Amino acid sequence: MSQQAMKIEAARAALDFVENRMRLGIGTGSTAEEFVKLLAERVEDGLDIIGVPTSERTAKLCLQLGVPLSTLEETPALDLTIDGADEVDGNLGLIKGGGGALLREKIVAFASQRMIVIADASKVVQALGKFPLPIEVNPFGLAATRHAIDNAAQSLQLTGSIALRGGNENDPFETDGGHYILDASFGHISDPDALSRALHEIPGVVEHGLFLGMAEKAIIASEAGIRTMQRS
């Protein structure tokens, strides 16, 4: 089974948790896009849901495929969010933000009673950090913010490059909210909670891609089939 086929099967399994009249947070990324395509088929067959997308990219796809949408202003409390992840550890700690939507993804997930992650087996890790940690930052004071992040990391014995996404400070990647992303290649993060707290203390950090204690299940597709991980 190809990685793409695994993403589709994980997305298909997540549909079992979607119920009629749900207020549904809809994630961003390649696996989430497969979920949107399958969800659209169910909507066409009569499923009654309202979706809140986590990015303009997801919103565009939903509108193209006929998935009805709302906003958190109109629908501030959600029943369930289904989203992908860049890494998933054994306790359902996540790294997210590879697609550049981590702030909106975290806001939508926090507004939801439950969060379910869908991923292929390559995303499951023993410890977070192999995938560079996305950190969304305000453009103002970028150099000072990067310096503060580096200091915070070193205080936790974390080292590695902290790169501006897009690579060019004159033309960097911008999030839907107009922020920049720094990708921090820290490697093994031994204490994700401590890193989360340290990053939140830096004024220029808007949000980071550590999603801790948020997902209740992860639906993982592999060559052997589907398995469900649950938070302990």
Side-chain angles (χ1 to χ4, degrees):
M1 188 186 300
S2 68
Q3 187 177 39
Q4 181 65 19
M6 291 180 198
K7 292 177 181 182
I8 293 170
E9 290 311 306
R12 193 186 313 279
L15 280 173
D16 290 343
F17 296 92
V18 178
E19 300 174 1
N20 217 34
R21 299 186 179 178
M22 264 191 168
R23 299 159 297 177
L24 186 65
I26 304 174
T28 295
S30 58
T31 310
E33 286 180 3
E34 298 303 331
F35 174 75
V36 171
K37 294 172 187 176
L38 294 168
L39 178 66
E41 294 176 3
R42 292 279 300 275
V43 168
E44 188 174 1
D45 289 339
L47 178 67
D48 179 18
I49 57 97
I50 190 75
V52 172
T54 55
S55 67
E56 298 302 321
R57 173 179 163 183
T58 295
K60 181 178 179 181
L61 180 61
C62 287
L63 291 173
Q64 287 175 344
L65 298 179
V67 176
L69 295 183
S70 182
T71 66
L72 285 180
E73 285 70 36
E74 299 164 337
T75 312
L78 306 179
D79 301 301
L80 173 65
T81 286
I82 294 179
D83 202 351
D86 298 300
E87 286 189 343
V88 184
D89 72 14
N91 200 36
L92 299 197
L94 314 173
I95 285 182
K96 290 178 51 55
L102 65 98
L103 174 61
R104 294 192 182 189
E105 287 173 334
K106 193 171 280 190
I107 291 172
V108 169
F110 191 78
S112 303
Q113 292 182 24
R114 303 162 61 206
M115 179 186 187
I116 294 177
V117 171
I118 50 177
D120 65 85
S122 70
K123 302 303 195 307
V124 179
V125 297
Q126 289 188 335
L128 299 176
K130 183 178 180 181
F131 189 91
L133 175 66
I135 305 170
E136 191 161 341
V137 298
N138 196 297
F140 178 80
L142 175 63
T145 299
R146 180 161 22 192
H147 182 67
I149 292 170
D150 188 48
N151 285 342
Q154 289 187 40
S155 73
L156 296 169
Q157 287 75 55
L158 295 171
T159 59
S161 66
I162 300 173
L164 179 66
R165 187 172 298 184
N168 184 347
E169 297 203 5
N170 295 318
D171 186 27
F173 172 86
E174 284 194 20
T175 69
D176 287 343
H179 305 129
Y180 296 166
I181 289 181
L182 296 173
D183 289 307
S185 298
F186 292 143
H188 177 196
I189 301 171
S190 59
D191 192 342
D193 289 291
L195 179 59
S196 174
R197 291 191 297 269
L199 292 175
H200 278 146
E201 290 177 358
I202 300 170
V205 172
V206 179
E207 191 49 85
H208 58 69
L210 290 168
F211 284 54
L212 307 175
M214 300 187 77
E216 72 164 32
K217 296 180 192 295
I219 298 172
I220 306 298
S222 70
E223 293 279 1
I226 295 291
R227 69 182 175 109
T228 301
M229 299 170 60
Q230 303 225 160
R231 190 169 73 237
S232 59

